[in-house]
């Protein structure tokens, strides 16, 4: 598998080969932490409206990263203004849209399904790579088709006349948003610091959510601050946002979106175990077959 390959040479290892280990480790940390975020989103589905959950996630994330990132962000304010359109688009895709879609999906589909559909996002990352001039090859194309078949089987529940759940469709949209964000990160200006980029995208993402948050408050009302609501919000705000996004952004900078995306296929198994342990969601035969197709397709597509 691509994630286990090591560049071997008699000479001194290249810069790219030295980045493989840390890059894969950081991608693994982000993937494991994000697995828990799907469980948290599902746990909040009947107590916190999706937009409000997304808004408070990023407010908490801002507070968490401010002590480490505020000074660097201020020093690089001129650089941020110069690349403002890039930073704004990254905030829209990775902060405002992606997490809100995940929370919306949690209203009507299981955490296991959410994790499995998101596991197909490496396929979308490969498509972006091809659009950018990269070559996919027959094996990678076949892997993409197998993974897509697994997603369709999962969403249709094995029916020849499928009726897709709304939550599954929301997760497909979330996967597109996340893959777009990951592909965009490859164009991040090298001189723009990771913490400054993270803090600015969090701030802009929360700012873009604020008007919709106000509408949600007026229409749906607020939510009660209890351990059952505050706990998951702190998890997604501190770990799934501040820690995981920093690790993922750094991983992509080291090894690229396509290779980091391969690590992402560990997520369905993690989500299935967590959702069973914490939410009591069982994994049926159809879901296991879908998982096998999705993971098998991603592994096939990632091999050289």
């Amino acid at each position: 598998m691509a994630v286990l390959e090591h560049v071997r040479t008699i000479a001194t290892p290249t810069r790219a080969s030295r980045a493989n280990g840390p890059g894969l480790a950081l991608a693994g940390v982000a993937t494991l932490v994000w697995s828990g975020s799907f469980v948290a989103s599902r746990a909040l589905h009947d107590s916190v409206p999706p937009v409000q959950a997304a808004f408070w996630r990023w407010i908490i994330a801002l507070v968490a990263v401010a002590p480490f990132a505020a000074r660097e962000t201020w020093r690089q304010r001129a650089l941020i203004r110069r690349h403002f359109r890039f930073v704004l688009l990254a905030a829209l895709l990775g902060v405002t849209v992606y997490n809100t879609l995940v929370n919306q999906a949690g209203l009507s589909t299981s955490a296991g399904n959410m994790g499995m559909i998101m596991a197909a996002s490496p396929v979308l990352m490969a498509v972006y790579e091809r659009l950018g001039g990269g070559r996919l090859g027959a094996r990678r194309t076949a892997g993409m088709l197998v993974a897509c078949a697994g997603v369709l089987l999962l969403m249709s529940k094995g029916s020849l006349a499928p009726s897709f759940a709304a939550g599954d469709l929301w997760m497909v949209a979330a996967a597109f948003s996340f893959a777009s964000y990951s592909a965009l990160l490859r164009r991040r200006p090298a001189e723009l610091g990771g913490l400054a980029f993270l803090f600015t995208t969090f701030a802009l993402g929360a700012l873009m959510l604020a008007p919709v948050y106000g509408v949600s408050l007026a229409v749906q009302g607020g939510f009660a601050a209890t351990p059952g609501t505050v706990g998951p919000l702190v998890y997604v705000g501190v770990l799934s946002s501040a820690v995981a996004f920093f690790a993922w952004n750094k991983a992509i900078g080291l090894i690229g979106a396509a290779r980091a995306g391969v690590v992402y296929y560990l997520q369905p198994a993690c989500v299935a175990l967590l959702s069973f342990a914490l939410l009591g969601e069982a994994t049926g035969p159809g879901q296991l077959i879908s998982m096998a197709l999705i993971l098998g397709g991603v592994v096939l597509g990632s091999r050289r």
Side-chain angles (χ1 to χ4, degrees):
M1 292 186 297
V3 296
L4 299 177
E5 289 178 358
H6 297 278
V7 178
R8 296 183 179 180
T9 178
I10 298 176
T12 302
T14 64
R15 185 177 180 180
S17 66
R18 290 196 300 268
N20 282 345
L24 294 173
L26 288 167
V29 169
T31 298
L32 291 172
V33 173
W34 275 331
S35 298
S37 72
F38 293 122
V39 177
S41 296
R42 180 61 177 164
L44 293 171
H45 78 280
D46 59 353
S47 56
V48 183
V51 171
Q52 295 183 38
F55 178 79
W56 282 109
R57 168 180 179 161
W58 300 116
I59 295 299
I60 293 170
L62 275 173
V63 174
V65 301
F68 311 99
R71 183 174 298 179
E72 179 181 304
T73 304
W74 178 252
R75 285 199 306 264
Q76 294 196 331
R77 61 190 184 279
L79 189 61
I80 293 169
R81 284 197 299 269
R82 189 186 316 158
H83 299 288
F84 184 74
R85 286 187 295 180
F86 170 85
V87 177
L88 183 65
L89 181 58
L92 177 66
L93 292 172
V95 176
T96 304
V97 174
Y98 167 65
N99 185 245
T100 305
L101 290 175
V102 170
N103 292 339
Q104 184 67 36
L107 296 178
S108 52
T109 193
S110 67
N113 280 19
M114 293 164 69
M116 279 187 274
I117 292 173
M118 275 303 299
S121 59
V123 173
L124 303 174
M125 295 177 198
V127 171
Y128 280 117
E129 183 180 323
R130 179 66 183 89
L131 293 175
R135 296 182 61 185
L136 297 182
R139 179 178 294 182
R140 201 167 186 184
T141 302
M144 291 166 55
L145 293 175
V146 171
C148 289
V151 172
L152 290 175
L153 177 65
L154 177 71
M155 294 172 60
S156 67
K157 299 177 177 62
S159 173
L160 296 177
S163 177
F164 299 138
D168 293 338
L169 297 176
W170 285 118
M171 279 308 302
V172 171
F176 270 99
S177 181
F178 179 74
S180 302
Y181 170 79
S182 298
L184 185 67
L185 288 181
R186 292 295 289 170
R187 299 179 179 271
R188 196 188 89 190
E191 64 272 23
L192 181 58
L195 286 173
F197 174 75
L198 202 69
F199 186 77
T200 306
T201 54
F202 286 0
L204 290 173
L207 186 62
M208 286 186 280
L209 275 171
V212 191
Y213 173 75
V215 173
S216 176
L217 277 179
V219 174
Q220 299 172 295
F223 62 91
T226 65
T229 57
V230 174
L233 287 175
V234 170
Y235 177 90
V236 297
V238 177
L239 295 179
S240 297
S241 301
V243 174
F245 267 79
F246 179 81
W248 184 255
N249 293 355
K250 187 69 174 177
I252 287 181
L254 290 172
I255 60 176
R259 180 164 288 188
V262 173
V263 183
Y264 205 70
Y265 76 74
L266 295 170
Q267 185 169 259
C270 298
V271 175
L273 290 173
L274 288 172
S275 62
F276 175 76
L278 300 177
L279 303 178
E281 292 182 357
T283 301
Q287 288 177 306
L288 292 175
I289 295 172
S290 300
M291 185 187 298
L293 286 171
I294 294 169
L295 301 189
V298 173
V299 171
L300 175 64
S302 67
R303 295 190 61 174
R304 292 182 178 178

